[in-house]
Amino acid sequence: MKKTLFIILLALLAVSCKTTKKQAQYGDIYKERPSTVYVAPLADMSMRRAFRTTEDSAYNHSLNVAACQLYLTAADPLVYNGYYVPGPLVSAQIAATETRSGRQLRNDVISDYAEELGVDAVLFITLNGWSSTENSWTVEVEYVLRSTRTGNELMHTSVVATKTLSVDFKKRPVPTPADKLFAEQTGYDLETVQRCRLVEMLNKYVLKDLPSGKRAREHRTERFIPSHPEYFSLRIEPDESVELVKNDMSL
């Protein structure tokens, strides 16, 4: 019995040693301490269907709504973590006056955002694609937080996230109570509800992992808490519990 407990303890220690702490994962954020984060317009790279039937149109509309939801719900977890995020109208004005492409913003000097707008970092979100089965919906998303002052990547996370529903005796997906409430509030169909709730939950899970911003009090043990890996898969089960699976290879 003692030998078994000793082996289990060694295994747990080995896992904890391999887990990256926030201090190491977000070292540049702790060094630069950004306060204001601007969420750049979403880069939606997902494929749409050629319009042949009304189903194709409904599918494309569902993806468009979910992409909008992904962008609009990114601010909440940032604000929760103590960052200031320009509101939708201000962000729209910034985007409207920007002459550089998304690729240029991610790679070129963007110190003008700091000097002219007081923005410390820009969050870039790229939606790379969707897939689905009869009762599951999967999205691939990349998050990059870039400093406007140094140009450094403060955070880079790539996630494959899946939301799964139970099925009834006819093999039809069964929405959760939260899904039904969301559908009542928005009027969206089942497919769109699943995609919208998936990306909203994904935003919360990824962005709440960031270190506390200046408007939130940093807990003294925060820097030593394990952080999310750079590449991982996220599974949202029918009971809406969340499971993270680390990916050793990039997406």
Side-chain angles (χ1 to χ4, degrees):
M1 183 65 177
K2 290 183 177 180
K3 184 177 181 180
T4 301
L5 291 174
F6 180 70
I7 293 173
I8 293 174
L9 179 60
L10 286 178
L12 291 173
L13 287 173
V15 171
S16 64
C17 289
K18 291 180 180 179
T19 302
T20 304
K21 303 298 189 292
K22 284 194 176 186
Q23 176 68 62
Q25 184 83 341
Y26 302 117
D28 285 338
I29 293 183
Y30 285 114
K31 187 182 301 181
E32 296 194 25
R33 300 296 292 172
S35 177
T36 301
V37 177
Y38 163 63
V39 182
L42 178 75
D44 187 356
M45 311 302 292
S46 58
M47 297 293 293
R48 301 299 193 271
R49 292 177 181 173
F51 178 71
R52 295 187 179 89
T53 67
T54 55
E55 289 184 1
D56 295 329
S57 178
Y59 175 82
N60 293 342
H61 176 70
S62 180
L63 264 58
N64 292 339
V65 172
C68 184
Q69 184 78 356
L70 175 62
Y71 175 73
L72 292 176
T73 58
D76 288 347
L78 292 171
V79 173
Y80 177 88
N81 259 18
Y83 295 93
Y84 173 73
V85 181
L89 292 179
V90 175
S91 295
Q93 290 177 336
I94 294 174
T97 57
E98 180 56 68
T99 58
R100 290 164 292 191
S101 67
R103 184 183 296 273
Q104 288 173 322
L105 283 177
R106 282 191 57 168
N107 297 288
D108 294 352
V109 175
I110 52 174
S111 56
D112 54 301
Y113 272 72
E115 297 163 359
E116 299 174 13
L117 302 173
V119 171
D120 301 309
V122 179
L123 177 65
F124 300 94
I125 304 176
T126 303
L127 198 168
N128 288 313
W130 289 96
S131 60
S132 61
T133 66
E134 291 183 353
N135 68 315
S136 71
W137 292 262
T138 299
V139 66
E140 300 179 27
V141 181
E142 179 187 33
Y143 298 83
V144 173
L145 184 65
R146 187 166 180 239
S147 169
T148 60
R149 303 182 188 279
T150 64
N152 293 336
E153 281 194 0
L154 306 178
M155 185 259 297
H156 180 202
T157 301
S158 293
V159 190
V160 176
T162 301
K163 187 175 186 296
T164 303
L165 293 181
S166 300
V167 294
D168 61 17
F169 69 98
K170 291 185 178 181
K171 304 298 182 183
R172 296 175 301 191
V174 179
T176 67
D179 291 336
K180 293 177 182 178
L181 178 60
F182 190 87
E184 291 174 2
Q185 294 172 338
T186 61
Y188 295 155
D189 59 86
L190 174 69
E191 295 271 342
T192 306
V193 166
Q194 297 311 307
R195 292 191 175 97
C196 286
R197 295 208 60 235
L198 169 58
V199 296
E200 183 173 358
M201 295 170 78
L202 175 61
N203 272 338
K204 289 180 180 178
Y205 196 85
V206 171
L207 298 175
K208 279 188 177 181
D209 188 58
L210 289 171
S212 299
K214 289 185 177 180
R215 297 171 64 142
R217 182 178 178 182
E218 179 189 339
H219 194 275
R220 57 194 179 94
T221 62
E222 177 191 286
R223 300 188 184 210
F224 308 103
I225 297 174
S227 68
H228 298 338
E230 185 175 355
Y231 302 98
F232 65 93
S233 295
L234 193 69
R235 290 202 290 261
I236 302 171
E237 304 295 345
D239 62 356
E240 298 206 344
S241 60
V242 179
E243 181 183 2
L244 181 152
V245 180
K246 183 177 180 180
N247 297 337
D248 292 327
M249 301 296 291
S250 61
L251 303 177

